Amino acid sequence: MRLTFTSDLWWKNAVIYCLDVETFKDGNGDGVGDFRGLTQQIDYLAGLGVTCLWLMPFFPTPNRDDGYDVVDFYSIDPRLGTLGDFVEFMRTAKDRGLRVIADLVVNHTSDRHPWFQQARSSRDNPYRDWYVWSDTPEPDDPSQVVFPDKENSFWEFDERTGQYYLHSFYKHQPDLNVGNPEVRDEIARILGFWMELGLSGFRVDAVPYLIQNVNPKLPDPHEFLRDLRAFMCRREGSSILLGEVNLPYDELLAYFGDGNGDELTMCFDFVTMQRAWLALARGEAAPLAAALRERPRPPKDSQWAVFLRNHDELTLDKLTEEERREVFEAFGPDKDMQIYGRGLRRRLPTMLGGDLRRVKMAYSLLFSLPGTPVLFYGEEIGLGENLRAEGRMAVRVPMQWAPEGGFSLVEPERDMPEGAYSPERVNVADQKRDPGSLLRWIQLLIERYRECPELAWGETTVLDCDHPAVLAYRCDAEEATVVVAHNLSDKAVDAELTLKGLRSCVLTDLLTDDTFRIGDRDAVELPLDPHGSRWLRATTPEVPPEDASVKARATASPS
Ligand code: GLC
C-alpha cells in the first residue's frame, strides 16, 4: 500500500537527536541546563533538520547515575525546571514540527525511591514484592557485571530484612520486579502520563534486564513488551518504543516481536555500530559489509536505529578480543580513554584525530546506513570529550554555542573540553557562518537523507567492489534506487561497481552534483576522494533526479 510512504510511520525515516536537558542550555543562569534553555534552542534544532528529540532522563534523582536513578517518575528534576516549563517546551517543539521521546528507565529505581524505601522497611510491606529479593542468590558471573569498576555482584545484602536484592547495574539501583502485575500496571501508568503531555514514545533503557530475572518468572517475558506496545498504540497509534537491546542479531530479533512487529518499534543496532568502528580502524569495508549482510530485516513497520556514538561508553563488547584491541589502538590507545575493559569514553572527532574529511565521511556513513540515524547532541559540531570527568561523564560535556561557551551566563557546573576542542575552537555560532563546517555538512546530510526514503524503506544490497577500502551498497524501493559509496581509506580510489538492471541510467551525486553514466555491462567507475563519500540517485536520462525519489512519486499518487 503506497500510503505507507506517508508520515504515519514517521519513525521509519526520522532523524533522532539525543540530548540531556542538563547539558544543553542554561536558561536561568545557575550553571545547569534546563527546559527554559532548551526551549530557546528549539529553532536551532528544527533548522538542523532533526525530526525527533530524545531526552535523557529529566526526573527527580539523587544523580548517582546521571539521572538513570529515578526517585519520582511523575515529575521534573527541580534543577531542570518545573512541569510548567516542560509543557511550554513540548508546546514549542510541537509548533516547530518536532516529536519528542524520553528515556524510560524502569528496569530499576534509585534506592531512594519511596517504593524501595517502603520495600526494604520490612518483609511484609506491600511494596516488598515490587523489587526482586532472594535468600540465596545464584552465584554471579563476574563477566556479566555491567560496571566492573564499581560492582562485583548483582546482589546486595539488605541488613534490616536479611535478604539480598537484585541490582543489574549499580547497587543503588535496585531492579523493579515486573513479575508483579502491580509494577507492570504502574509502568503503563508512567507511559500514559507522559503521553498525555505529548510524548511520541520512549527510549526504553536496558530492555533485556527489564523482562528477565523477575519473580515469579513470566511464562512469556515478551508478553509484557507486547502489552506495553498495545497499551500505547490504543492511546496513540503512532507512538513508539525504541529499545536499548545490546544483543547479537539472532537474539535481538525477538524484541521486535517475532515477525509481527508488535513489541519494540525500533532497536539500536549495536552490532553494525561496533563493526563500523572496526572498519574505520582498519580502513577496510569488510567488517561493516559483513554486518550489513548479516543484519536481519526487521518486521515490516519496525526499524533499526543507527548510531556511531551515544551517551555511554563506545562499547565494543561484540567484537573479539583481538578486534577490540585494534579499535583501542586506533582510537583510544591511552588507558585513560578506555573503560570497563570493553569500551572507550571518547567522542567521535577526537577518535578520528580531528581529521575533518574523515569525520565528515563517518557521518555520511551514519546518515546513509539503512535505518533511522540517531545523533548524540554536539556531534553536529564535532564536540570533544573531557577526560578529566569521571568515567562515562567524559562525553557528557556542556553544549558549545559560541566562542565564549554560550551554554550559561555563569561558570557551567560541568567542565568543558580544553585546547583544540574548547568552545573558542568548536562552537555553533562560528560553524553556522562557515559553509565548509561540520555543522553545514550534517545539515546537508539530514536534508538528503530525508529526500532519499529508499535509504530507510528500501531493500539494501551490499555491492561487491574490487577495492577493499570501499563500502558500496544500493537501496531499492518502488523502482527507485540510491547507490551509496564510501572510501574508508586516505587514498583516492576508482571503484568499479556493477549495478544490475540499471544499464544506461545516470547516477547523480546528491552531495556534489557530479554525474556518471552506467555503461553497457551495468558497470560504472566511481572516483572517490580520500575518505570520500557519494550518494547517487539512479535515473533514466529523461527523468530529472528529483522526480525519481519514492517520496515525490508516492505523495503524488497515494493509492
Ligand atoms: C543504560 C543507560 C546507561 C545507564 C544504565 C542504567 O545502559 O544507557 O547510561 O547507566 O542503563 O540505567
Side-chain angles (χ1 to χ4, degrees):
M1 191 174 66
R2 299 291 286 277
L3 277 178
T4 51
F5 286 105
T6 68
S7 58
D8 291 5
L9 306 182
W10 62 270
W11 58 88
K12 277 288 230 188
N13 69 336
V15 179
I16 300 179
Y17 186 95
C18 167
L19 68 89
D20 188 359
V21 179
E22 184 170 347
T23 53
F24 203 61
K25 174 82 184 173
D26 174 12
N28 66 353
D30 63 357
V32 175
D34 46 42
F35 276 102
R36 291 195 180 187
L38 171 58
T39 308
Q40 289 164 20
Q41 300 302 341
I42 295 239
D43 286 311
Y44 164 76
L45 293 165
L48 184 58
V50 302
T51 64
C52 176
L53 307 181
W54 150 26
L55 305 185
M56 287 168 64
F58 50 75
F59 314 99
T61 172
N63 235 341
R64 297 181 66 194
D65 183 16
D66 199 22
Y68 284 87
D69 46 335
V70 177
V71 292
D72 178 2
F73 290 102
Y74 296 104
S75 55
I76 305 281
D77 182 346
R79 296 179 323 133
L80 309 182
T82 65
L83 212 42
D85 295 333
F86 175 82
V87 170
E88 288 306 302
F89 153 72
M90 288 299 297
R91 144 115 201 127
T92 314
K94 188 172 170 201
D95 179 67
R96 309 302 199 273
L98 293 175
R99 291 182 180 267
V100 183
I101 64 173
D103 244 294
L104 179 74
V105 191
V106 288
N107 170 67
H108 47 263
T109 66
S110 158
D111 60 355
R112 300 201 205 154
H113 195 294
W115 300 338
F116 189 67
Q117 295 291 319
Q118 292 270 334
R120 78 187 323 182
S121 67
S122 75
R123 288 201 189 192
D124 54 12
N125 187 280
Y127 282 93
R128 182 74 175 177
D129 192 35
W130 281 45
Y131 295 85
V132 184
W133 299 92
S134 174
D135 291 320
T136 50
E138 303 261 306
D140 291 301
D141 172 357
S143 73
Q144 297 301 309
V145 169
V146 181
F147 301 129
D149 58 333
K150 294 273 165 28
E151 305 293 345
N152 55 16
S153 169
F154 293 119
W155 295 93
E156 179 69 8
F157 189 66
D158 185 58
E159 293 286 344
R160 172 142 30 142
T161 55
Q163 278 185 312
Y164 293 84
Y165 66 83
L166 176 71
H167 61 88
S168 299
F169 296 91
Y170 292 114
K171 62 167 79 68
H172 59 77
Q173 292 168 319
D175 276 33
L176 277 168
N177 178 21
V178 303
N180 179 343
E182 283 180 34
V183 172
R184 296 200 294 274
D185 282 353
E186 188 66 27
I187 292 176
R189 207 168 283 128
I190 295 166
L191 260 63
F193 177 85
W194 292 104
M195 285 174 67
E196 269 331 287
L197 295 182
L199 287 191
S200 293
F202 301 87
R203 177 265 184 187
V204 195
D205 192 59
V207 186
Y209 298 94
L210 171 67
I211 61 176
Q212 286 157 13
N213 304 325
V214 302
N215 188 18
K217 280 220 165 334
L218 295 169
D220 173 8
H222 284 267
E223 190 176 325
F224 175 50
L225 295 179
R226 279 195 291 279
D227 285 352
L228 270 189
R229 177 76 184 284
F231 166 81
M232 287 173 75
C233 287
R234 281 197 299 279
R235 298 225 166 156
E236 171 55 63
S238 67
S239 54
I240 63 154
L241 292 174
L242 162 58
E244 183 197 25
V245 187
N246 181 7
L247 291 176
Y249 285 137
D250 53 344
E251 292 171 52
L252 194 158
L253 212 51
Y255 286 80
F256 283 117
D258 283 323
N260 303 317
D262 55 1
E263 296 183 30
L264 299 175
T265 327
M266 307 176 81
C267 289
F268 288 104
D269 188 348
F270 280 90
V271 175
T272 295
M273 179 279 283
Q274 301 190 30
R275 302 278 190 82
W277 282 103
L278 184 61
L280 289 168
R282 291 183 179 166
E284 280 176 14
L288 189 48
L292 291 178
R293 287 191 169 114
E294 277 164 41
R295 183 201 221 198
R297 225 182 140 76
K300 189 165 145 284
D301 293 347
S302 315
Q303 184 59 297
W304 290 112
V306 189
F307 68 109
L308 286 173
R309 281 301 287 118
N310 67 10
H311 62 291
D312 286 329
E313 77 280 7
L314 164 63
T315 181
L316 300 166
D317 64 339
K318 298 282 174 290
L319 301 183
T320 64
E321 201 143 311
E322 177 53 29
E323 292 168 340
R324 191 158 43 242
R325 204 185 46 74
E326 279 180 66
V327 180
F328 277 4
E329 224 158 71
F331 299 133
D334 299 353
K335 271 271 160 283
D336 189 32
M337 301 166 174
Q338 302 166 7
I339 186 166
Y340 313 138
R342 60 161 193 260
L344 293 172
R345 49 188 212 111
R346 307 191 78 190
R347 278 176 168 260
L348 184 145
T350 58
M351 286 191 274
L352 299 184
D355 179 345
L356 189 57
R357 278 182 324 179
R358 211 171 172 201
V359 171
K360 286 183 170 178
M361 185 267 291
Y363 285 114
S364 167
L365 249 183
L366 171 70
F367 281 98
S368 57
L369 281 171
T372 291
V374 184
L375 267 188
F376 181 41
Y377 77 93
E379 289 203 274
E380 71 277 25
I381 54 166
L383 202 60
E385 69 271 355
N386 169 23
L387 288 176
R388 286 163 294 133
E390 213 221 324
R392 296 173 302 165
M393 298 303 279
V395 302
R396 304 177 185 179
V397 292
M399 183 63 174
Q400 295 175 179
W401 296 101
E404 59 286 355
F407 166 75
S408 174
L409 292 172
V410 300
E411 187 72 20
E413 200 177 271
R414 292 194 199 173
D415 289 337
M416 295 190 161
E418 289 175 350
Y421 292 89
S422 64
E424 299 86 69
R425 311 280 284 276
V426 176
N427 67 73
V428 172
D430 289 348
Q431 292 195 26
K432 270 191 174 172
R433 288 190 289 268
D434 173 1
S437 68
L438 184 59
L439 179 63
R440 287 293 181 209
W441 176 246
I442 301 272
Q443 225 165 6
L444 175 71
L445 294 173
I446 294 178
E447 197 180 305
R448 292 295 178 267
Y449 170 77
R450 298 284 294 168
E451 287 166 359
C452 294
E454 296 88 340
L455 296 173
W457 291 83
E459 182 81 47
T460 306
T461 314
V462 179
L463 301 168
D464 291 325
C465 180
D466 51 354
H467 205 294
V470 176
L471 177 72
Y473 48 87
R474 60 188 281 176
C475 301
D476 297 273
E478 303 269 328
E479 290 155 40
T481 301
V482 171
V483 177
V484 179
H486 287 93
N487 175 7
L488 274 59
S489 76
D490 57 4
K491 308 211 168 35
V493 297
D494 287 324
E496 188 177 283
L497 301 179
T498 304
L499 294 162
K500 287 213 180 71
L502 297 180
R503 184 171 311 167
S504 308
C505 280
V506 176
L507 293 176
T508 305
D509 190 322
L510 302 171
L511 304 173
T512 64
D513 279 349
D514 288 340
T515 54
F516 305 92
R517 175 63 78 96
I518 302 174
D520 284 347
R521 291 179 299 109
D522 290 342
V524 65
E525 188 156 295
L526 291 178
L528 286 159
D529 288 337
H531 299 306
S533 46
R534 293 197 183 273
W535 299 22
L536 305 145
R537 178 174 293 292
T539 52
T540 52
E542 306 77 49
V543 180
E546 50 279 12
D547 285 355
S549 107
V550 197
K551 190 171 83 186
R553 293 187 305 128
T555 344
S557 57
S559 59

